[in-house]
Amino acid sequence: MGKFLSEAQIEGFARDGFVSRLPVLSPAEVEHLTALTEAFERERPGDTSWAFDIKANLLFDWVYDLGRHPRLLDAVEDLIGPDILMTNATFRIKNPGSHVDYGWHQDSARIEVTPSFVIAYVALSPATIENGCLQVIPATHDRVRPFSLTEGPGQRKRLVARVIDVDSTKAVNLELEPGDVAIFHGNAVHGSPANISAMRRVAILYDFTPAAGRQNIGTGSGQLVRGSDPHGHWGHEPVPEAGLTEANVLNRRRILSTYHENVLMGPRLPGETVTFPDRPY
């Protein structure tokens, strides 16, 4: 028995590469986080496209705080051990009628991490088949599959890996209620289809990496959120101030410019200029 997960759930993760429907947040917590999300969208609509993207945990103190939620970290610890870095947080929002289709991919395809990181999908709204819930192909986390590169939907200039040969008949739909969490292995083949419903789908995705992990290309960075880091394989990131402050924006820009070879941005190609979502400057 782990801190949060049962032995059956831990064994299932080792076998299938994911565990789902973990009740982490209370209804009051979901309501509070939803209010913060919607308030920012309402008050600063011109900033959501970049501020809700890569390393949102460096911009919003409440996104950082959610990533340190004790129940969430207990579940993560059961899977990757006690020394945990938060290496990314990004919003995944699909509005009604959105045609965005995140094709089959592995987050670790372009830069592998050993031991692997995990991704936690924190649902702030229902995730259903109709509104484009996450889908995972079980037992695909053992290795990186052959892939092709394409420009990601809604992610201008960012190359993303798409797995070439997928048996989609084996896909499992991870339907969730608000406050539920699904955690999947960095190698797990996953995707999510378009939102064909009238219901908005809102989630925050976190990457959690064991401090002992190492990238096979470049150096990543993260915030130490549990345990210690005696290894020194990662650059350490600052804790954000309250609000979307100038200091937070500049710190995120500095981190992404310094540690630009990370699993979200991929390896730097010959002659490539480092680009990432940011405010106009």
Side-chain angles (χ1 to χ4, degrees):
M1 187 74 181
K3 285 190 170 182
F4 185 87
L5 302 178
S6 67
E7 287 298 326
Q9 288 173 317
I10 294 171
E11 291 170 2
F13 180 88
R15 179 187 65 248
D16 298 327
F18 66 93
V19 60
S20 189
R21 293 190 175 178
L22 306 178
V24 169
L25 302 180
S26 69
E29 289 172 315
V30 171
E31 182 179 1
H32 177 63
L33 292 163
T34 299
L36 290 169
T37 301
E38 292 178 349
F40 187 82
E41 291 176 306
R42 183 173 58 253
E43 294 164 9
R44 302 188 55 173
D47 292 321
T48 55
S49 63
W50 64 268
F52 280 3
D53 208 303
I54 299 173
K55 302 272 187 185
N57 48 304
L58 295 179
L59 294 176
F60 301 101
D61 60 315
W62 51 275
V63 173
Y64 169 76
D65 288 340
L66 174 56
R68 297 168 61 242
H69 194 292
R71 287 166 63 84
L72 176 58
L73 289 182
D74 282 350
V76 171
E77 180 175 340
D78 289 341
L79 299 174
I80 68 172
D83 299 327
I84 303 171
L85 294 167
M86 185 196 308
T87 47
N88 187 52
T90 183
F91 288 77
R92 286 290 180 259
I93 299 174
K94 288 187 179 183
N95 289 316
S98 168
H99 296 293
V100 172
D101 182 342
Y102 290 98
W104 298 112
H105 63 284
Q106 296 171 292
D107 282 14
S108 60
R110 300 186 69 201
I111 294 181
E112 297 180 52
V113 180
T114 307
S116 180
F117 60 99
V118 297
I119 304 100
Y121 178 111
V122 182
L124 299 184
S125 72
T128 68
I129 294 172
E130 292 74 23
N131 73 3
C133 70
L134 191 70
Q135 299 175 316
V136 180
I137 309 293
T140 53
H141 60 299
D142 57 329
R143 67 188 186 280
V144 172
R145 265 66 179 172
F147 61 85
S148 61
L149 291 177
T150 185
E151 193 171 290
Q155 301 169 326
R156 187 171 59 88
K157 296 183 180 180
R158 191 182 313 164
L159 292 176
V160 293
R162 292 290 180 258
V163 179
I164 292 172
D165 187 17
V166 176
D167 184 356
S168 60
T169 65
K170 296 181 178 179
V172 176
N173 293 304
L174 302 188
E175 295 191 274
L176 303 170
E177 294 297 324
D180 284 350
V181 171
I183 303 176
F184 55 101
H185 192 282
N187 284 352
V189 176
H190 64 286
S192 63
N195 181 354
I196 60 172
S197 77
M199 180 190 304
R200 196 177 195 223
R201 197 208 72 174
V202 182
I204 305 178
L205 270 64
Y206 290 88
D207 288 4
F208 293 106
T209 303
R214 301 192 76 159
Q215 294 188 174
N216 68 334
I217 298 172
T219 301
S221 60
Q223 296 159 321
L224 186 67
V225 290
R226 180 167 287 189
S228 62
D229 178 11
H231 308 283
H233 299 162
W234 302 83
H236 281 196
E237 299 174 351
V239 173
E241 300 176 343
L244 185 60
T245 67
E246 180 77 3
N248 290 351
V249 172
L250 294 178
N251 276 329
R252 175 180 178 270
R253 189 180 300 170
R254 174 179 59 82
I255 289 294
L256 285 172
S257 299
T258 304
Y259 303 100
H260 51 80
E261 291 190 302
N262 55 59
V263 296
L264 263 292
M265 295 169 69
R268 185 172 181 177
L269 302 176
E272 180 184 17
T273 301
V274 176
T275 61
F276 50 85
D278 200 349
R279 68 181 184 193
Y281 66 94

